[in-house]
Amino acid sequence: VRKENVLSSSKTHDFHVFFPGKPKLFGCAAAAQVKTSRETKGQYLSVCSCFIFRFLSFLLTGAHLNPAVTLSFCVLGQVRWGRLVPYCLSQILGAYVASALAFLVYYDAIMEFSGGVLSVYGPNETASIFATYPSEYLTVGRSFLDQVVGTGMLMMCILSLEERRNTPAPSELIPPIVAVIVLGISMSMSANCGAAINPARDLGPRLFSLTAGWGTEVFTCYNYWFWVPLVAPPIGGVLGSFMYLIFIHWQLPDPEPPASLTVVDTVSNKANKPATTMWEKEEELKSTHL
């Protein structure tokens, strides 16, 4: 993966799209284990910890795992726009396949826990193993704000890690740092609606649960709430990126040029001045020829 600072270079990154469903498998499997065991074989922190493996996998694959992040990088000029749709489709497909594999692994446990009835509501619901759903007390507007804020904070933290005019993090440590950031968001902002902050993380598993037996209720429940984790994270990611530009990046002072470049710059400025004598014109022609 060729890495450059998104805010200081006009060149684009070349990222690998490497099956983005593997980290999602850990998250869904952990959710299934915790729920079907009624928290006797793990707790909520287990689920949060397993979902952060998606960012640790970036260290080896360079894969994009979140359409909201990919869109933000496109807006900032770090990823070419032509890659937005293929990346997003790959992310959704990977999440779908990972959910299917987790379902097969925990099929017996899910059926035992639910009594063979795959439902979205009630104490024995199992749909939340895969997709996210809002709490009963939450309004649509507040859940939308929840996702915008969570994704915005994610992008602001990601962009700050490679800010060369401040104190950039070592490139080898960026994936685990981002993983810890996501863990913090999940632990502090998931009570409302599960902290999806990722359209692919929600839509892929929701499509799987639609086809696996939960039915259309996964889309119609809670007054068609499913559109919130699809629309709010991209908006939050872009807003967070612009907030970083306005309040942090554009406020940092330009770095002082190295002393060795001062002489080069002086010579360059002299070379750009028009020649006034015949000797200077001859020297200029020789320099141009060379």
Side-chain angles (χ1 to χ4, degrees):
V1 181
R2 177 169 53 84
K3 296 182 178 179
E4 297 168 8
N5 189 348
V6 59
L7 301 178
S8 62
S9 174
S10 60
K11 298 180 180 179
T12 59
H13 281 227
D14 290 327
F15 287 97
H16 302 294
V17 181
F18 182 90
F19 181 58
K22 178 174 61 175
K24 175 64 179 173
L25 172 61
F26 294 139
C28 284
Q33 176 174 305
V34 171
K35 177 172 281 290
T36 57
S37 69
R38 301 185 188 276
E39 296 191 1
T40 60
K41 298 178 180 178
Q43 296 178 333
Y44 184 71
L45 182 58
S46 306
V47 182
C48 294
S49 300
C50 286
F51 268 114
I52 69 174
F53 276 111
R54 76 182 73 173
F55 297 96
L56 292 178
S57 69
F58 173 83
L59 181 62
L60 297 177
T61 67
H64 275 210
L65 306 172
N66 188 338
V69 176
T70 303
L71 174 63
S72 299
F73 285 161
C74 289
V75 171
L76 294 172
Q78 187 173 358
V79 175
R80 291 194 288 271
W81 282 98
R83 296 186 176 183
L84 177 61
V85 173
Y87 276 28
C88 293
L89 292 178
S90 298
Q91 293 154 3
I92 295 171
L93 177 61
Y96 182 98
V97 174
S99 300
L101 186 55
F103 178 70
L104 291 176
V105 170
Y106 278 98
Y107 177 81
D108 294 335
I110 291 174
M111 289 302 171
E112 173 67 21
F113 176 84
S114 64
V117 179
L118 302 180
S119 61
V120 177
Y121 298 101
N124 293 329
E125 65 83 18
T126 48
S128 61
I129 291 175
F130 303 99
T132 60
Y133 295 89
S135 299
E136 296 286 349
Y137 58 80
L138 197 64
T139 64
V140 174
R142 204 76 67 191
S143 64
F144 193 93
L145 177 64
D146 175 275
Q147 292 296 289
V148 169
V149 172
T151 315
M153 294 300 100
L154 174 64
M155 279 306 305
M156 291 185 69
C157 293
I158 289 176
L159 293 175
S160 66
L161 293 178
E162 289 190 310
E163 180 56 73
R164 301 188 184 281
R165 294 187 298 169
N166 197 355
T167 306
S171 58
E172 297 81 5
L173 294 180
I174 289 179
I177 291 174
V178 175
V180 173
I181 292 170
V182 174
L183 178 61
I185 294 174
S186 299
M187 293 179 63
S188 61
M189 303 181 66
S190 59
N192 285 336
C193 47
I197 60 173
N198 183 342
R201 174 260 176 275
D202 189 85
L203 180 58
R206 196 179 298 274
L207 289 172
F208 167 75
S209 57
L210 169 68
T211 58
W214 280 266
T216 57
E217 196 172 32
V218 298
F219 283 95
T220 61
C221 65
Y222 299 102
N223 196 23
Y224 296 88
W225 181 84
F226 77 93
W227 65 270
V228 174
L230 296 182
V231 178
I235 294 176
V238 174
L239 288 178
S241 300
F242 281 125
M243 288 180 64
Y244 178 83
L245 288 175
I246 296 171
F247 295 107
I248 300 178
H249 180 72
W250 291 345
Q251 308 304 322
L252 294 174
D254 292 328
E256 293 294 333
S260 58
L261 295 181
T262 306
V263 176
V264 176
D265 183 65
T266 303
V267 173
S268 176
N269 290 337
K270 289 182 178 180
N272 291 331
K273 293 181 180 180
T276 56
T277 66
M278 183 63 67
W279 182 84
E280 290 178 335
K281 290 181 179 179
E282 290 179 359
E283 290 295 320
E284 182 179 356
L285 290 174
K286 290 179 181 179
S287 300
T288 303
H289 178 71
L290 293 175

